[in-house]
Amino acid sequence: MNLYTPKITIQLWDSAKYRAFEIRTSVFIQEQNVPENMEFDVYDESAWHALAHLGNKCIGTARLNIANQSGKIGRMAVLSQYRRVGIGRHLIGSLIKFGQSHGINKFTLNAQVSAIQFYEKYGFEVNGNVFQDAGIAHQKMILNFKTNLKHNEFL
Ligand SMILES: CC(C)(COP(=O)(O)OP(=O)(O)OC[C@H]1O[C@@H](n2cnc3c(N)ncnc32)[C@H](O)[C@@H]1OP(=O)(O)O)[C@@H](O)C(=O)NCCC(=O)NCCS
């Protein structure tokens, strides 16, 4: 275990919301200027939320909504000073493993265009055209373990 191996917990919104709120406020609302009324939505209530901790400090979060045999990943956020040291990898890996343990083989997400290469590392493939959401360019991506076994070595 190195200095930046986070402890990941996966929780429902009621117990995750205080820490997830802080991270997402910092990353999406303050850093990326996403309006607060778009950042927090009804899907938070039905999602599983991964939280990344280093010691007592929560430094990252992401959520997974499971519906119709598919898992939708979203709100991937790592505090700026902790990026590029593997925290995002642990977050997404934990949510995918969690989804798989619930019988899910297909995962989707709407990637910010600047993060597409991050998701490609885990086997996600772009699908469809670029679109704008909250003023940020996005593209849908899909990871289907039934058809794409290329990049699952992180699991
Ligand atoms: C995108 C984000 C979650 C990635 O988290 P992170 O903790 O920095 O990612 P990691 O350090 O685990 O990176 C894992 C790998 O992806 C690469 N990577 C990380 N971010 C990348 C990016 N934006 N573009 C290309 N590669 C990236 C890393 O270099 C690393 O590569 P390696 O395994 O070859 O060394 C983080 O940059 C973030 O919170 N950004 C702001 C919010 C955001 O844009 N979220 C995405 C919404 S779709």
Side-chain angles (χ1 to χ4, degrees), residues 24-59:
R24 284 164 50 182
T25 297
S26 169
V27 172
F28 293 117
I29 298 175
Q30 294 172 352
E31 186 184 330
Q32 298 191 339
N33 296 317
V34 172
E36 185 166 353
N37 64 352
M38 291 183 74
E39 174 51 33
F40 299 99
D41 63 19
V42 292
Y43 298 106
D44 281 324
E45 299 279 349
S46 53
W48 292 97
H49 298 266
L51 297 172
H53 302 85
L54 282 181
N56 290 330
K57 191 170 165 55
C58 186
I59 56 165

PDB file of all heavy atoms in Angstrom, residues 24-59:
ATOM      1  N   ARG A  24     -18.153  17.440  -4.394  1.00  0.00           N
ATOM      2  CA  ARG A  24     -18.777  17.855  -5.660  1.00  0.00           C
ATOM      3  C   ARG A  24     -18.950  19.365  -5.721  1.00  0.00           C
ATOM      4  O   ARG A  24     -18.904  19.972  -6.792  1.00  0.00           O
ATOM      5  CB  ARG A  24     -20.078  17.084  -5.857  1.00  0.00           C
ATOM      6  CG  ARG A  24     -19.793  15.636  -6.287  1.00  0.00           C
ATOM      7  CD  ARG A  24     -20.958  14.703  -6.143  1.00  0.00           C
ATOM      8  NE  ARG A  24     -22.177  15.213  -6.740  1.00  0.00           N
ATOM      9  CZ  ARG A  24     -23.344  14.573  -6.695  1.00  0.00           C
ATOM     10  NH1 ARG A  24     -23.414  13.376  -6.092  1.00  0.00           N
ATOM     11  NH2 ARG A  24     -24.407  15.080  -7.250  1.00  0.00           N
ATOM     12  N   THR A  25     -19.178  19.983  -4.563  1.00  0.00           N
ATOM     13  CA  THR A  25     -19.259  21.452  -4.552  1.00  0.00           C
ATOM     14  C   THR A  25     -17.915  22.032  -4.978  1.00  0.00           C
ATOM     15  O   THR A  25     -17.842  22.943  -5.807  1.00  0.00           O
ATOM     16  CB  THR A  25     -19.651  21.948  -3.149  1.00  0.00           C
ATOM     17  OG1 THR A  25     -20.956  21.448  -2.860  1.00  0.00           O
ATOM     18  CG2 THR A  25     -19.667  23.470  -3.087  1.00  0.00           C
ATOM     19  N   SER A  26     -16.839  21.488  -4.409  1.00  0.00           N
ATOM     20  CA  SER A  26     -15.512  22.004  -4.733  1.00  0.00           C
ATOM     21  C   SER A  26     -15.169  21.772  -6.212  1.00  0.00           C
ATOM     22  O   SER A  26     -14.716  22.681  -6.911  1.00  0.00           O
ATOM     23  CB  SER A  26     -14.486  21.321  -3.819  1.00  0.00           C
ATOM     24  OG  SER A  26     -13.202  21.588  -4.263  1.00  0.00           O
ATOM     25  N   VAL A  27     -15.405  20.545  -6.691  1.00  0.00           N
ATOM     26  CA  VAL A  27     -14.943  20.184  -8.040  1.00  0.00           C
ATOM     27  C   VAL A  27     -15.889  20.718  -9.120  1.00  0.00           C
ATOM     28  O   VAL A  27     -15.445  21.377 -10.068  1.00  0.00           O
ATOM     29  CB  VAL A  27     -14.792  18.651  -8.165  1.00  0.00           C
ATOM     30  CG1 VAL A  27     -14.513  18.240  -9.609  1.00  0.00           C
ATOM     31  CG2 VAL A  27     -13.668  18.158  -7.244  1.00  0.00           C
ATOM     32  N   PHE A  28     -17.172  20.444  -9.002  1.00  0.00           N
ATOM     33  CA  PHE A  28     -18.064  20.790 -10.115  1.00  0.00           C
ATOM     34  C   PHE A  28     -18.589  22.226 -10.010  1.00  0.00           C
ATOM     35  O   PHE A  28     -18.627  22.948 -11.009  1.00  0.00           O
ATOM     36  CB  PHE A  28     -19.222  19.788 -10.198  1.00  0.00           C
ATOM     37  CG  PHE A  28     -18.758  18.409 -10.592  1.00  0.00           C
ATOM     38  CD1 PHE A  28     -18.910  17.327  -9.735  1.00  0.00           C
ATOM     39  CD2 PHE A  28     -18.140  18.192 -11.814  1.00  0.00           C
ATOM     40  CE1 PHE A  28     -18.465  16.063 -10.088  1.00  0.00           C
ATOM     41  CE2 PHE A  28     -17.681  16.931 -12.179  1.00  0.00           C
ATOM     42  CZ  PHE A  28     -17.848  15.873 -11.316  1.00  0.00           C
ATOM     43  N   ILE A  29     -19.007  22.636  -8.818  1.00  0.00           N
ATOM     44  CA  ILE A  29     -19.635  23.962  -8.709  1.00  0.00           C
ATOM     45  C   ILE A  29     -18.568  25.054  -8.691  1.00  0.00           C
ATOM     46  O   ILE A  29     -18.631  26.010  -9.469  1.00  0.00           O
ATOM     47  CB  ILE A  29     -20.545  24.013  -7.470  1.00  0.00           C
ATOM     48  CG1 ILE A  29     -21.666  22.975  -7.639  1.00  0.00           C
ATOM     49  CG2 ILE A  29     -21.107  25.421  -7.258  1.00  0.00           C
ATOM     50  CD1 ILE A  29     -22.576  22.803  -6.462  1.00  0.00           C
ATOM     51  N   GLN A  30     -17.555  24.900  -7.827  1.00  0.00           N
ATOM     52  CA  GLN A  30     -16.552  25.968  -7.723  1.00  0.00           C
ATOM     53  C   GLN A  30     -15.528  25.921  -8.864  1.00  0.00           C
ATOM     54  O   GLN A  30     -15.213  26.936  -9.457  1.00  0.00           O
ATOM     55  CB  GLN A  30     -15.858  25.895  -6.360  1.00  0.00           C
ATOM     56  CG  GLN A  30     -16.847  26.204  -5.239  1.00  0.00           C
ATOM     57  CD  GLN A  30     -16.287  25.959  -3.843  1.00  0.00           C
ATOM     58  OE1 GLN A  30     -15.203  25.419  -3.666  1.00  0.00           O
ATOM     59  NE2 GLN A  30     -17.052  26.362  -2.830  1.00  0.00           N
ATOM     60  N   GLU A  31     -15.040  24.740  -9.169  1.00  0.00           N
ATOM     61  CA  GLU A  31     -13.961  24.655 -10.173  1.00  0.00           C
ATOM     62  C   GLU A  31     -14.508  24.713 -11.604  1.00  0.00           C
ATOM     63  O   GLU A  31     -13.933  25.372 -12.470  1.00  0.00           O
ATOM     64  CB  GLU A  31     -13.208  23.340  -9.939  1.00  0.00           C
ATOM     65  CG  GLU A  31     -11.983  23.142 -10.788  1.00  0.00           C
ATOM     66  CD  GLU A  31     -11.347  21.759 -10.542  1.00  0.00           C
ATOM     67  OE1 GLU A  31     -11.454  21.214  -9.427  1.00  0.00           O
ATOM     68  OE2 GLU A  31     -10.741  21.236 -11.497  1.00  0.00           O
ATOM     69  N   GLN A  32     -15.633  24.024 -11.847  1.00  0.00           N
ATOM     70  CA  GLN A  32     -16.119  23.911 -13.235  1.00  0.00           C
ATOM     71  C   GLN A  32     -17.348  24.769 -13.505  1.00  0.00           C
ATOM     72  O   GLN A  32     -17.887  24.725 -14.615  1.00  0.00           O
ATOM     73  CB  GLN A  32     -16.422  22.444 -13.560  1.00  0.00           C
ATOM     74  CG  GLN A  32     -15.181  21.543 -13.478  1.00  0.00           C
ATOM     75  CD  GLN A  32     -15.424  20.153 -14.062  1.00  0.00           C
ATOM     76  OE1 GLN A  32     -16.556  19.708 -14.172  1.00  0.00           O
ATOM     77  NE2 GLN A  32     -14.351  19.468 -14.425  1.00  0.00           N
ATOM     78  N   ASN A  33     -17.819  25.515 -12.500  1.00  0.00           N
ATOM     79  CA  ASN A  33     -18.957  26.430 -12.666  1.00  0.00           C
ATOM     80  C   ASN A  33     -20.269  25.763 -13.055  1.00  0.00           C
ATOM     81  O   ASN A  33     -21.098  26.344 -13.755  1.00  0.00           O
ATOM     82  CB  ASN A  33     -18.635  27.522 -13.696  1.00  0.00           C
ATOM     83  CG  ASN A  33     -17.508  28.408 -13.211  1.00  0.00           C
ATOM     84  OD1 ASN A  33     -17.491  28.792 -12.039  1.00  0.00           O
ATOM     85  ND2 ASN A  33     -16.556  28.705 -14.080  1.00  0.00           N
ATOM     86  N   VAL A  34     -20.452  24.511 -12.633  1.00  0.00           N
ATOM     87  CA  VAL A  34     -21.742  23.848 -12.855  1.00  0.00           C
ATOM     88  C   VAL A  34     -22.752  24.470 -11.883  1.00  0.00           C
ATOM     89  O   VAL A  34     -22.444  24.629 -10.697  1.00  0.00           O
ATOM     90  CB  VAL A  34     -21.615  22.325 -12.601  1.00  0.00           C
ATOM     91  CG1 VAL A  34     -22.978  21.647 -12.628  1.00  0.00           C
ATOM     92  CG2 VAL A  34     -20.663  21.707 -13.623  1.00  0.00           C
ATOM     93  N   PRO A  35     -23.951  24.839 -12.349  1.00  0.00           N
ATOM     94  CA  PRO A  35     -24.944  25.406 -11.426  1.00  0.00           C
ATOM     95  C   PRO A  35     -25.349  24.387 -10.352  1.00  0.00           C
ATOM     96  O   PRO A  35     -25.514  23.198 -10.649  1.00  0.00           O
ATOM     97  CB  PRO A  35     -26.147  25.721 -12.329  1.00  0.00           C
ATOM     98  CG  PRO A  35     -25.611  25.713 -13.720  1.00  0.00           C
ATOM     99  CD  PRO A  35     -24.424  24.806 -13.724  1.00  0.00           C
ATOM    100  N   GLU A  36     -25.505  24.878  -9.122  1.00  0.00           N
ATOM    101  CA  GLU A  36     -25.812  23.966  -8.001  1.00  0.00           C
ATOM    102  C   GLU A  36     -27.101  23.179  -8.247  1.00  0.00           C
ATOM    103  O   GLU A  36     -27.195  22.006  -7.918  1.00  0.00           O
ATOM    104  CB  GLU A  36     -25.920  24.765  -6.696  1.00  0.00           C
ATOM    105  CG  GLU A  36     -26.119  23.852  -5.499  1.00  0.00           C
ATOM    106  CD  GLU A  36     -25.893  24.543  -4.167  1.00  0.00           C
ATOM    107  OE1 GLU A  36     -25.443  25.700  -4.140  1.00  0.00           O
ATOM    108  OE2 GLU A  36     -26.186  23.887  -3.142  1.00  0.00           O
ATOM    109  N   ASN A  37     -28.093  23.824  -8.877  1.00  0.00           N
ATOM    110  CA  ASN A  37     -29.368  23.121  -9.089  1.00  0.00           C
ATOM    111  C   ASN A  37     -29.270  22.032 -10.154  1.00  0.00           C
ATOM    112  O   ASN A  37     -30.166  21.205 -10.295  1.00  0.00           O
ATOM    113  CB  ASN A  37     -30.501  24.100  -9.413  1.00  0.00           C
ATOM    114  CG  ASN A  37     -30.275  24.832 -10.721  1.00  0.00           C
ATOM    115  OD1 ASN A  37     -29.204  24.726 -11.331  1.00  0.00           O
ATOM    116  ND2 ASN A  37     -31.269  25.585 -11.159  1.00  0.00           N
ATOM    117  N   MET A  38     -28.171  22.001 -10.924  1.00  0.00           N
ATOM    118  CA  MET A  38     -27.960  20.894 -11.864  1.00  0.00           C
ATOM    119  C   MET A  38     -27.081  19.816 -11.252  1.00  0.00           C
ATOM    120  O   MET A  38     -27.161  18.643 -11.615  1.00  0.00           O
ATOM    121  CB  MET A  38     -27.290  21.408 -13.146  1.00  0.00           C
ATOM    122  CG  MET A  38     -28.176  22.297 -13.982  1.00  0.00           C
ATOM    123  SD  MET A  38     -27.342  22.786 -15.502  1.00  0.00           S
ATOM    124  CE  MET A  38     -27.431  21.269 -16.444  1.00  0.00           C
ATOM    125  N   GLU A  39     -26.206  20.219 -10.340  1.00  0.00           N
ATOM    126  CA  GLU A  39     -25.228  19.272  -9.794  1.00  0.00           C
ATOM    127  C   GLU A  39     -25.899  18.203  -8.927  1.00  0.00           C
ATOM    128  O   GLU A  39     -25.578  17.024  -9.030  1.00  0.00           O
ATOM    129  CB  GLU A  39     -24.161  20.037  -8.991  1.00  0.00           C
ATOM    130  CG  GLU A  39     -23.161  19.177  -8.258  1.00  0.00           C
ATOM    131  CD  GLU A  39     -22.516  18.119  -9.137  1.00  0.00           C
ATOM    132  OE1 GLU A  39     -22.316  18.348 -10.336  1.00  0.00           O
ATOM    133  OE2 GLU A  39     -22.219  17.026  -8.599  1.00  0.00           O
ATOM    134  N   PHE A  40     -26.830  18.611  -8.084  1.00  0.00           N
ATOM    135  CA  PHE A  40     -27.475  17.656  -7.179  1.00  0.00           C
ATOM    136  C   PHE A  40     -28.868  17.376  -7.724  1.00  0.00           C
ATOM    137  O   PHE A  40     -29.632  18.306  -7.996  1.00  0.00           O
ATOM    138  CB  PHE A  40     -27.498  18.214  -5.756  1.00  0.00           C
ATOM    139  CG  PHE A  40     -26.099  18.442  -5.250  1.00  0.00           C
ATOM    140  CD1 PHE A  40     -25.539  19.712  -5.288  1.00  0.00           C
ATOM    141  CD2 PHE A  40     -25.317  17.389  -4.817  1.00  0.00           C
ATOM    142  CE1 PHE A  40     -24.229  19.928  -4.875  1.00  0.00           C
ATOM    143  CE2 PHE A  40     -23.996  17.588  -4.402  1.00  0.00           C
ATOM    144  CZ  PHE A  40     -23.460  18.855  -4.430  1.00  0.00           C
ATOM    145  N   ASP A  41     -29.193  16.096  -7.938  1.00  0.00           N
ATOM    146  CA  ASP A  41     -30.451  15.772  -8.605  1.00  0.00           C
ATOM    147  C   ASP A  41     -31.101  14.555  -7.957  1.00  0.00           C
ATOM    148  O   ASP A  41     -30.576  13.980  -7.008  1.00  0.00           O
ATOM    149  CB  ASP A  41     -30.222  15.569 -10.117  1.00  0.00           C
ATOM    150  CG  ASP A  41     -29.293  14.391 -10.397  1.00  0.00           C
ATOM    151  OD1 ASP A  41     -29.124  13.530  -9.502  1.00  0.00           O
ATOM    152  OD2 ASP A  41     -28.726  14.325 -11.501  1.00  0.00           O
ATOM    153  N   VAL A  42     -32.241  14.160  -8.487  1.00  0.00           N
ATOM    154  CA  VAL A  42     -32.993  13.054  -7.889  1.00  0.00           C
ATOM    155  C   VAL A  42     -32.237  11.733  -7.956  1.00  0.00           C
ATOM    156  O   VAL A  42     -32.496  10.837  -7.146  1.00  0.00           O
ATOM    157  CB  VAL A  42     -34.378  12.868  -8.567  1.00  0.00           C
ATOM    158  CG1 VAL A  42     -35.281  14.031  -8.258  1.00  0.00           C
ATOM    159  CG2 VAL A  42     -34.236  12.675 -10.067  1.00  0.00           C
ATOM    160  N   TYR A  43     -31.316  11.600  -8.913  1.00  0.00           N
ATOM    161  CA  TYR A  43     -30.594  10.325  -9.037  1.00  0.00           C
ATOM    162  C   TYR A  43     -29.640  10.085  -7.871  1.00  0.00           C
ATOM    163  O   TYR A  43     -29.234   8.952  -7.617  1.00  0.00           O
ATOM    164  CB  TYR A  43     -29.844  10.269 -10.374  1.00  0.00           C
ATOM    165  CG  TYR A  43     -30.792  10.326 -11.544  1.00  0.00           C
ATOM    166  CD1 TYR A  43     -30.918  11.480 -12.308  1.00  0.00           C
ATOM    167  CD2 TYR A  43     -31.609   9.241 -11.847  1.00  0.00           C
ATOM    168  CE1 TYR A  43     -31.815  11.541 -13.367  1.00  0.00           C
ATOM    169  CE2 TYR A  43     -32.513   9.294 -12.892  1.00  0.00           C
ATOM    170  CZ  TYR A  43     -32.609  10.453 -13.648  1.00  0.00           C
ATOM    171  OH  TYR A  43     -33.511  10.506 -14.685  1.00  0.00           O
ATOM    172  N   ASP A  44     -29.291  11.148  -7.133  1.00  0.00           N
ATOM    173  CA  ASP A  44     -28.469  10.934  -5.937  1.00  0.00           C
ATOM    174  C   ASP A  44     -29.170  10.013  -4.940  1.00  0.00           C
ATOM    175  O   ASP A  44     -28.540   9.184  -4.292  1.00  0.00           O
ATOM    176  CB  ASP A  44     -28.144  12.272  -5.266  1.00  0.00           C
ATOM    177  CG  ASP A  44     -27.022  13.011  -5.981  1.00  0.00           C
ATOM    178  OD1 ASP A  44     -26.085  12.342  -6.466  1.00  0.00           O
ATOM    179  OD2 ASP A  44     -27.084  14.245  -6.056  1.00  0.00           O
ATOM    180  N   GLU A  45     -30.464  10.164  -4.835  1.00  0.00           N
ATOM    181  CA  GLU A  45     -31.237   9.388  -3.843  1.00  0.00           C
ATOM    182  C   GLU A  45     -31.223   7.891  -4.145  1.00  0.00           C
ATOM    183  O   GLU A  45     -31.283   7.076  -3.238  1.00  0.00           O
ATOM    184  CB  GLU A  45     -32.702   9.860  -3.826  1.00  0.00           C
ATOM    185  CG  GLU A  45     -32.883  11.314  -3.457  1.00  0.00           C
ATOM    186  CD  GLU A  45     -32.832  11.546  -1.960  1.00  0.00           C
ATOM    187  OE1 GLU A  45     -32.857  10.555  -1.209  1.00  0.00           O
ATOM    188  OE2 GLU A  45     -32.778  12.730  -1.572  1.00  0.00           O
ATOM    189  N   SER A  46     -31.179   7.542  -5.437  1.00  0.00           N
ATOM    190  CA  SER A  46     -31.267   6.123  -5.793  1.00  0.00           C
ATOM    191  C   SER A  46     -29.891   5.512  -6.099  1.00  0.00           C
ATOM    192  O   SER A  46     -29.798   4.325  -6.395  1.00  0.00           O
ATOM    193  CB  SER A  46     -32.187   5.945  -7.009  1.00  0.00           C
ATOM    194  OG  SER A  46     -31.771   6.793  -8.060  1.00  0.00           O
ATOM    195  N   ALA A  47     -28.837   6.335  -6.037  1.00  0.00           N
ATOM    196  CA  ALA A  47     -27.506   5.838  -6.424  1.00  0.00           C
ATOM    197  C   ALA A  47     -26.744   5.255  -5.232  1.00  0.00           C
ATOM    198  O   ALA A  47     -27.017   5.579  -4.072  1.00  0.00           O
ATOM    199  CB  ALA A  47     -26.689   6.981  -7.019  1.00  0.00           C
ATOM    200  N   TRP A  48     -25.756   4.427  -5.592  1.00  0.00           N
ATOM    201  CA  TRP A  48     -24.701   4.044  -4.650  1.00  0.00           C
ATOM    202  C   TRP A  48     -23.557   5.029  -4.848  1.00  0.00           C
ATOM    203  O   TRP A  48     -23.194   5.348  -5.988  1.00  0.00           O
ATOM    204  CB  TRP A  48     -24.216   2.619  -4.934  1.00  0.00           C
ATOM    205  CG  TRP A  48     -25.256   1.599  -4.620  1.00  0.00           C
ATOM    206  CD1 TRP A  48     -26.129   1.007  -5.487  1.00  0.00           C
ATOM    207  CD2 TRP A  48     -25.547   1.052  -3.329  1.00  0.00           C
ATOM    208  NE1 TRP A  48     -26.949   0.122  -4.824  1.00  0.00           N
ATOM    209  CE2 TRP A  48     -26.615   0.128  -3.504  1.00  0.00           C
ATOM    210  CE3 TRP A  48     -25.027   1.241  -2.047  1.00  0.00           C
ATOM    211  CZ2 TRP A  48     -27.149  -0.598  -2.435  1.00  0.00           C
ATOM    212  CZ3 TRP A  48     -25.553   0.516  -0.988  1.00  0.00           C
ATOM    213  CH2 TRP A  48     -26.598  -0.386  -1.193  1.00  0.00           C
ATOM    214  N   HIS A  49     -22.989   5.505  -3.730  1.00  0.00           N
ATOM    215  CA  HIS A  49     -21.948   6.532  -3.800  1.00  0.00           C
ATOM    216  C   HIS A  49     -20.640   5.974  -3.258  1.00  0.00           C
ATOM    217  O   HIS A  49     -20.588   5.499  -2.117  1.00  0.00           O
ATOM    218  CB  HIS A  49     -22.363   7.764  -2.983  1.00  0.00           C
ATOM    219  CG  HIS A  49     -23.606   8.400  -3.517  1.00  0.00           C
ATOM    220  ND1 HIS A  49     -23.593   9.439  -4.417  1.00  0.00           N
ATOM    221  CD2 HIS A  49     -24.916   8.090  -3.312  1.00  0.00           C
ATOM    222  CE1 HIS A  49     -24.834   9.768  -4.728  1.00  0.00           C
ATOM    223  NE2 HIS A  49     -25.653   8.969  -4.080  1.00  0.00           N
ATOM    224  N   ALA A  50     -19.594   6.030  -4.103  1.00  0.00           N
ATOM    225  CA  ALA A  50     -18.259   5.642  -3.645  1.00  0.00           C
ATOM    226  C   ALA A  50     -17.579   6.881  -3.077  1.00  0.00           C
ATOM    227  O   ALA A  50     -17.651   7.967  -3.660  1.00  0.00           O
ATOM    228  CB  ALA A  50     -17.451   5.094  -4.820  1.00  0.00           C
ATOM    229  N   LEU A  51     -16.938   6.701  -1.938  1.00  0.00           N
ATOM    230  CA  LEU A  51     -16.169   7.786  -1.317  1.00  0.00           C
ATOM    231  C   LEU A  51     -14.738   7.295  -1.150  1.00  0.00           C
ATOM    232  O   LEU A  51     -14.514   6.163  -0.698  1.00  0.00           O
ATOM    233  CB  LEU A  51     -16.734   8.149   0.056  1.00  0.00           C
ATOM    234  CG  LEU A  51     -18.163   8.705   0.080  1.00  0.00           C
ATOM    235  CD1 LEU A  51     -18.648   8.820   1.522  1.00  0.00           C
ATOM    236  CD2 LEU A  51     -18.231  10.063  -0.610  1.00  0.00           C
ATOM    237  N   ALA A  52     -13.769   8.135  -1.508  1.00  0.00           N
ATOM    238  CA  ALA A  52     -12.349   7.782  -1.354  1.00  0.00           C
ATOM    239  C   ALA A  52     -11.782   8.557  -0.166  1.00  0.00           C
ATOM    240  O   ALA A  52     -11.929   9.782  -0.098  1.00  0.00           O
ATOM    241  CB  ALA A  52     -11.580   8.142  -2.621  1.00  0.00           C
ATOM    242  N   HIS A  53     -11.143   7.822   0.741  1.00  0.00           N
ATOM    243  CA  HIS A  53     -10.576   8.450   1.937  1.00  0.00           C
ATOM    244  C   HIS A  53      -9.072   8.223   1.993  1.00  0.00           C
ATOM    245  O   HIS A  53      -8.596   7.126   1.718  1.00  0.00           O
ATOM    246  CB  HIS A  53     -11.156   7.839   3.213  1.00  0.00           C
ATOM    247  CG  HIS A  53     -12.639   7.939   3.320  1.00  0.00           C
ATOM    248  ND1 HIS A  53     -13.492   7.022   2.753  1.00  0.00           N
ATOM    249  CD2 HIS A  53     -13.420   8.855   3.929  1.00  0.00           C
ATOM    250  CE1 HIS A  53     -14.733   7.366   3.004  1.00  0.00           C
ATOM    251  NE2 HIS A  53     -14.730   8.471   3.709  1.00  0.00           N
ATOM    252  N   LEU A  54      -8.360   9.270   2.380  1.00  0.00           N
ATOM    253  CA  LEU A  54      -6.958   9.115   2.788  1.00  0.00           C
ATOM    254  C   LEU A  54      -6.931   9.513   4.252  1.00  0.00           C
ATOM    255  O   LEU A  54      -7.199  10.680   4.578  1.00  0.00           O
ATOM    256  CB  LEU A  54      -6.044  10.030   1.978  1.00  0.00           C
ATOM    257  CG  LEU A  54      -5.690   9.601   0.554  1.00  0.00           C
ATOM    258  CD1 LEU A  54      -4.763  10.622  -0.090  1.00  0.00           C
ATOM    259  CD2 LEU A  54      -5.056   8.205   0.516  1.00  0.00           C
ATOM    260  N   GLY A  55      -6.664   8.566   5.121  1.00  0.00           N
ATOM    261  CA  GLY A  55      -6.806   8.848   6.553  1.00  0.00           C
ATOM    262  C   GLY A  55      -8.236   9.274   6.833  1.00  0.00           C
ATOM    263  O   GLY A  55      -9.181   8.636   6.375  1.00  0.00           O
ATOM    264  N   ASN A  56      -8.391  10.398   7.542  1.00  0.00           N
ATOM    265  CA  ASN A  56      -9.738  10.869   7.875  1.00  0.00           C
ATOM    266  C   ASN A  56     -10.324  11.784   6.820  1.00  0.00           C
ATOM    267  O   ASN A  56     -11.444  12.249   6.963  1.00  0.00           O
ATOM    268  CB  ASN A  56      -9.707  11.651   9.198  1.00  0.00           C
ATOM    269  CG  ASN A  56      -9.450  10.722  10.357  1.00  0.00           C
ATOM    270  OD1 ASN A  56      -9.823   9.553  10.305  1.00  0.00           O
ATOM    271  ND2 ASN A  56      -8.788  11.235  11.384  1.00  0.00           N
ATOM    272  N   LYS A  57      -9.561  12.058   5.764  1.00  0.00           N
ATOM    273  CA  LYS A  57     -10.007  13.055   4.792  1.00  0.00           C
ATOM    274  C   LYS A  57     -10.660  12.387   3.585  1.00  0.00           C
ATOM    275  O   LYS A  57     -10.110  11.448   3.013  1.00  0.00           O
ATOM    276  CB  LYS A  57      -8.787  13.879   4.344  1.00  0.00           C
ATOM    277  CG  LYS A  57      -9.154  15.111   3.553  1.00  0.00           C
ATOM    278  CD  LYS A  57      -7.911  15.984   3.372  1.00  0.00           C
ATOM    279  CE  LYS A  57      -8.091  17.045   2.311  1.00  0.00           C
ATOM    280  NZ  LYS A  57      -9.221  17.929   2.466  1.00  0.00           N
ATOM    281  N   CYS A  58     -11.832  12.869   3.229  1.00  0.00           N
ATOM    282  CA  CYS A  58     -12.497  12.388   2.017  1.00  0.00           C
ATOM    283  C   CYS A  58     -12.020  13.247   0.847  1.00  0.00           C
ATOM    284  O   CYS A  58     -12.085  14.479   0.899  1.00  0.00           O
ATOM    285  CB  CYS A  58     -14.009  12.483   2.176  1.00  0.00           C
ATOM    286  SG  CYS A  58     -14.863  11.740   0.788  1.00  0.00           S
ATOM    287  N   ILE A  59     -11.526  12.600  -0.202  1.00  0.00           N
ATOM    288  CA  ILE A  59     -10.871  13.343  -1.291  1.00  0.00           C
ATOM    289  C   ILE A  59     -11.478  13.068  -2.657  1.00  0.00           C
ATOM    290  O   ILE A  59     -11.064  13.667  -3.642  1.00  0.00           O
ATOM    291  CB  ILE A  59      -9.365  13.015  -1.330  1.00  0.00           C
ATOM    292  CG1 ILE A  59      -9.180  11.509  -1.455  1.00  0.00           C
ATOM    293  CG2 ILE A  59      -8.658  13.547  -0.082  1.00  0.00           C
ATOM    294  CD1 ILE A  59      -7.785  11.134  -1.856  1.00  0.00           C
TER     295      ILE A  59
END
